[in-house]
Amino acid sequence: MIRLSRRSLIAAGAAFAAVPAHAQSRDPSRLRVALLPDENASTIIQNAQPLKTHLERALRKDVEIVVTTDYSSMIEAARFGRIEIAYFGPFSYVLAKSRAPGIEPFAVGIERGSPFYNSVVIAQKGGPVAALADVRGKPFAFGDQASTSSHLVPRALLLQRAGLDGARDYRPVHVGTHDAVARTVQSGQAPAGALSKPILDTLYARNAVDKDRLVEIALSDPIPNYPMVMQGNLVPALKDAIRTAFLDLKDEQVLRAFRVQGFAATDDKAYDVLRETARVLQLDLSQMRG
């Protein structure tokens, strides 16, 4: 059974009072927008400044960009109403929904014309892992335990394609963020690992990791992309304005922070495939703790 760590919420902005979501103002003057901590927090906040400007203009409210310490803290922030809008990973959204039933997914990122993306398994070039079967008996680098493309999906991929169970056949090593996975494999601290394919491509484009020192050995089936989520108890007019601010978004500078070309409407049912993946891995969502 996977048990998520219980870490304190330390956001890049102000600290938040621990009040239940239902006690939150239904039409707050300030909107807290949480972005998934899948890379370095300062980089995420810097890249999100055009988003902050866009939302303040579109919604006529103050906007605070929040990056929590980990996925678990972001789930708890949604549960206790410490954030109004959030950009969750697919599986972290599923976990959040199980703990905060009132949150509502309303938009999904579009990449290359599709609301799907992939997880990629990488290995150190010239290292001991050249195929999935070679992972047996070795450490394998995952990101956060609540990550879709850096834990849940590749864990299922190793089980279904190579018959490798993380509980007995290899040693899972959780290093936190996607970029940390790439660097861990590049350095040889783990001979293989998994992360989001779009994030890996971005790391290559930034020269944040050395493409010549890594090799891609497996690609997952399509995964429903990251959802934008809002608290369901916001006033209808504000919810409509938030939805429009994302679905009508065309500014490439703003979209670049999400690594998408635009947003399309979505709903909770789109993420049932992740619930099925969790079932394959015998994960009890109700027992997974944030």
Side-chain angles (χ1 to χ4, degrees):
M1 180 69 65
I2 295 175
R3 189 175 291 264
L4 299 183
S5 62
R6 188 178 292 276
R7 296 175 60 183
S8 60
L9 174 67
I10 305 296
F16 312 119
V19 294
H22 60 75
Q24 178 70 42
S25 170
R26 291 180 56 80
D27 190 12
S29 60
R30 176 178 59 119
L31 296 175
R32 295 161 295 186
V33 180
L35 301 180
L36 202 65
D38 54 12
E39 291 188 79
N40 178 272
S42 61
T43 299
I44 295 171
I45 291 173
Q46 180 181 352
N47 292 341
Q49 292 312 298
L51 170 67
K52 172 181 167 70
T53 300
H54 165 72
L55 291 178
E56 287 181 337
R57 289 173 178 169
L59 303 176
R60 298 182 180 179
K61 292 181 181 290
D62 291 335
V63 169
E64 178 183 0
I65 301 297
V66 173
V67 180
T68 59
T69 53
D70 57 16
Y71 289 44
S72 183
S73 296
M74 187 166 165
I75 291 168
E76 290 300 284
R79 177 187 178 194
F80 288 106
R82 301 182 184 120
I83 52 179
E84 284 71 47
I85 304 170
Y87 190 50
F88 275 108
F91 185 53
S92 58
Y93 159 70
V94 169
L95 286 176
K97 183 70 171 177
S98 72
R99 297 176 67 86
I103 62 174
E104 300 175 1
F106 64 91
V108 60
I110 299 295
E111 299 176 50
R112 300 178 182 86
S114 172
F116 298 94
Y117 73 117
N118 303 89
S119 171
V120 61
V121 177
I122 60 173
Q124 185 185 39
K125 193 168 186 177
V129 173
L132 292 179
D134 299 331
V135 171
R136 184 179 297 275
K138 301 176 180 67
F140 188 92
F142 291 113
D144 193 289
Q145 292 192 62
S147 172
T148 308
S149 57
S150 194
H151 184 219
L152 181 76
V153 167
R155 191 178 180 113
L157 184 154
L158 286 166
L159 179 63
Q160 294 172 318
R161 296 190 192 177
L164 298 178
D165 186 332
R168 64 171 186 266
D169 297 321
Y170 60 92
R171 181 163 61 89
V173 179
H174 290 277
V175 298
T177 61
H178 292 245
D179 51 336
V181 170
R183 294 187 182 96
T184 297
V185 175
Q186 176 179 285
S187 68
Q189 292 175 283
L195 69 159
S196 159
K197 172 64 171 168
I199 291 180
L200 179 63
D201 291 341
T202 299
L203 293 172
Y204 286 153
R206 294 180 189 160
N207 293 316
V209 294
D210 187 348
K211 190 173 185 177
D212 293 333
R213 297 172 63 185
L214 296 172
V215 60
E216 301 176 18
I217 63 172
L219 195 68
S220 75
D221 292 335
I223 306 166
N225 218 335
Y226 292 38
M228 289 299 315
V229 176
M230 66 175 124
Q231 294 287 0
N233 63 356
L234 298 174
V235 293
L238 178 56
K239 290 169 69 174
D240 288 344
I242 292 170
R243 188 177 292 108
T244 298
F246 283 94
L247 296 181
D248 291 351
L249 182 54
K250 307 297 183 194
D251 189 322
E252 292 184 4
Q253 187 179 20
V254 177
L255 293 169
R256 196 175 300 126
F258 297 101
R259 296 181 291 270
V260 299
Q261 298 167 321
F263 286 95
T266 194
D267 58 24
D268 179 70
K269 290 183 179 180
Y271 297 89
D272 283 347
V273 63
L274 280 309
R275 297 180 175 101
E276 175 60 20
T277 302
R279 188 196 65 77
V280 168
L281 291 173
Q282 299 182 341
L283 305 181
D284 185 345
L285 298 182
S286 68
Q287 297 301 313
M288 295 182 71
R289 303 171 71 178

